[in-house]
Amino acid sequence: MQHPALVLEHSFLFRIPPRYGWPAALLLLGAVAAAESVTPREIWFGPVYLAVVCFAAWALSIRSAFLLGTSVLLFKLATGNLAFYPMGPGLALGNLAVRFAGIGIVLGFIGLARKSYEREWHLARTDLLTDALNRQAFFELVRSGRCSGGWSALIYADLDGLKQLNDQQGHDQGDESLKAFAETVRRTIRKGDVLARMGGDEFVIFMKLRDEEAGQAVACRLHRALNTSGEDAACRLKCSLGVLVLPDGSQSIDAELRAADELMYKAKQSRAGVAVATAVVTDGQIALTIQDLAPPHESQVRQTDRTGEASGSAPDQPRAAA
């Protein structure tokens, strides 16, 4: 079973699909043309047309907007409705060239503004060290409602010994450990799952699951990937994982995070590395049903791999479905 990617989306104007953006732009152009047709010729509608073109640049693309603006100018020129102010048609070619240049300049500035917005939007929601979502972005995504419905897993992870590593070997080594952790998680989970850094050495992973049993497989897979030695073991720290399996997706993220955090501390105190529980919500309170932490038999893991529920799938496909 494939789940849609849990992606943090922009505001409405930044995520208009072309199948809606183009009709909207054309409808606006039609409305401006209709208004122009019933008003005196001396009233200039050029800035209004330019506003529609700017909307297309912001919601669609600069190329689409320039095509739209050029088409409007050429159409009005071909039909004899292009007014040349203030000197009449005597310098029509130069006047037309200046209008094309003006459209290009305006659209260029809009393109720069949009790129700046995209960059700042990304920086405001990303942890620059690990390239994971930051705390603000995680809560924004979960509270958007995209994480509700169906089985899911909320995993609280805490790196063990980061402070000691920073004190003994310096913060550069600590930063390398954080980056190695984040990269290992990304290689293990699916492309559409969520990895967020909550601050310091604490991370949260959120993913949709097929069913309750998949939560156990996910926990074992992450535990093996994060707490066994590998080629980059020199810059990797062990971690403790609290895996909270949610039957109906995220409902009350604050309470669920506290429960997952408690599970993580149980795993840390018991030195088990991972603790798994299924949430049971009653009257707004979360009760935990602790699951057996014994890892599944190797044949079960291979069977899971064959059904697409484990890591190792193609890079462009979900890597660790659940």
Side-chain angles (χ1 to χ4, degrees):
M1 178 181 179
Q2 298 295 330
H3 295 286
L6 298 173
V7 179
L8 190 62
E9 294 185 342
H10 293 75
S11 61
F12 175 70
L13 283 179
F14 285 89
R15 56 183 176 87
I16 298 179
R19 65 180 183 274
Y20 299 131
W22 272 108
L26 294 176
L27 184 63
L28 288 172
L29 280 180
V32 175
E36 185 182 29
S37 67
V38 297
T39 56
R41 183 178 175 83
E42 290 75 17
I43 297 179
W44 186 33
F45 274 77
V48 185
Y49 281 110
L50 183 59
V52 176
V53 172
C54 290
F55 162 79
W58 191 259
L60 295 170
S61 69
I62 300 299
R63 181 179 299 179
S64 299
F66 190 79
L67 175 63
L68 202 63
T70 300
S71 300
V72 170
L73 281 179
L74 293 178
F75 178 79
K76 291 176 72 65
L77 181 64
T79 57
N81 293 319
L82 185 64
F84 294 101
Y85 299 108
M87 304 302 296
L91 298 174
L93 186 61
N95 199 317
L96 192 62
V98 170
R99 294 195 185 190
F100 276 113
I103 291 176
I105 292 171
V106 171
L107 296 185
F109 278 110
I110 290 180
L112 291 175
R114 170 146 185 162
K115 286 183 178 179
S116 177
Y117 172 90
E118 292 279 359
R119 182 175 62 253
E120 295 302 322
W121 185 91
H122 178 76
L123 292 176
R125 290 161 175 80
T126 304
D127 176 64
L128 298 182
L129 178 64
T130 63
D131 203 34
L133 295 182
N134 61 19
R135 184 182 183 90
Q136 170 191 335
F138 173 75
F139 281 106
E140 189 175 329
L141 174 61
V142 173
R143 288 169 177 163
S144 69
R146 294 175 60 83
C147 296
S148 60
W151 288 92
S152 59
L154 180 66
I155 304 167
Y156 208 104
D158 181 271
L159 273 67
D160 301 327
L162 180 63
K163 183 179 184 304
Q164 292 84 343
L165 181 64
N166 286 334
D167 293 341
Q168 296 171 8
Q169 301 185 32
H171 286 271
D172 288 342
Q173 187 62 41
D175 289 347
E176 289 301 319
S177 295
L178 289 168
K179 289 190 286 187
F181 168 85
E183 182 57 33
T184 302
V185 171
R186 275 191 287 267
R187 290 198 305 264
T188 307
I189 64 178
R190 297 171 298 191
K191 186 177 181 180
D193 294 332
V194 178
L195 170 64
R197 186 182 180 189
M198 305 303 283
D201 56 357
E202 296 181 345
F203 291 79
V204 167
I205 304 162
F206 188 93
M207 62 177 64
K208 305 298 289 184
L209 300 175
R210 182 190 65 243
D211 51 32
E212 183 177 6
E213 288 73 20
Q216 177 87 0
V218 166
C220 293
R221 187 161 57 248
L222 281 170
H223 181 48
R224 285 197 303 269
L226 296 169
N227 290 326
T228 57
S229 299
E231 296 178 358
D232 57 348
C235 63
R236 280 176 51 185
L237 293 171
K238 306 294 185 183
C239 73
S240 300
L241 300 169
V243 182
L244 181 65
V245 180
L246 303 167
D248 295 312
S250 178
Q251 301 294 324
S252 175
I253 187 59
D254 295 321
E256 291 157 0
L257 276 175
R258 287 194 297 270
D261 190 27
E262 291 176 6
L263 283 172
M264 182 273 294
Y265 275 107
K266 289 181 183 295
K268 187 182 292 288
Q269 292 170 356
S270 65
R271 298 183 180 275
V274 58
V276 187
T278 299
V280 179
V281 181
T282 305
D283 296 331
Q285 301 296 318
I286 295 181
L288 303 181
T289 302
I290 304 296
Q291 296 185 17
D292 183 8
L293 299 183
H297 190 273
E298 187 64 26
S299 62
Q300 182 180 347
V301 174
R302 288 197 296 269
Q303 177 65 27
T304 303
D305 288 338
R306 286 196 294 271
T307 58
E309 296 298 328
S311 59
S313 55
D316 291 336
Q317 299 296 325
R319 288 190 286 267

